[in-house]
């Protein structure tokens, strides 16, 4: 067994660059998010994504029928 300092460590994975995603695609993704928490996290990615979120305000909430009140977008 080699000491820790002599082991070959793999290079760190490069982070994906999400800043180049086209605004139309981001808008479609944002509008498909039903959960307010997911929309908040979407807007926190970077300034471009926040701009998309601000340009697409959520619609007014629907009134829920008692049979659908138990559904949730929580994970």
């Amino acid at each position: 067994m080699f000491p820790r300092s002599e082991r070959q460590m793999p290079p760190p994975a490069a982070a994906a660059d999400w800043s180049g995603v086209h605004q139309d695609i981001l808008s479609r993704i944002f509008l498909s998010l039903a959960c307010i928490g997911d929309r908040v996290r979407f807007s926190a990615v970077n300034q471009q994504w926040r701009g998309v979120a601000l340009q697409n305000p959520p619609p007014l909430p629907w009134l829920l029928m008692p049979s659908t009140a138990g559904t949730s977008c929580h994970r």
Side-chain angles (χ1 to χ4, degrees):
M1 190 88 182
F2 293 107
R4 183 172 260 253
S5 61
E6 293 181 21
R7 280 189 243 164
Q8 183 70 17
M9 300 300 289
D17 181 16
W18 293 99
S19 62
V21 179
H22 197 273
Q23 191 165 350
D24 290 342
I25 294 172
L26 290 175
S27 293
R28 286 182 178 215
I29 293 169
F30 181 77
L31 292 172
S32 71
L33 299 174
C35 182
I36 189 72
D38 289 339
R39 288 179 174 226
V40 168
R41 286 185 282 277
F42 179 98
S43 67
V45 171
N46 61 30
Q47 285 185 337
Q48 178 192 16
W49 288 37
R50 181 165 175 75
V52 169
L54 292 173
Q55 291 173 0
N56 296 290
L60 294 174
W62 289 62
L63 295 176
L64 297 177
M65 301 298 291
S67 63
T68 61
T71 60
S72 173
C73 62
H74 297 288
R75 296 170 207 258

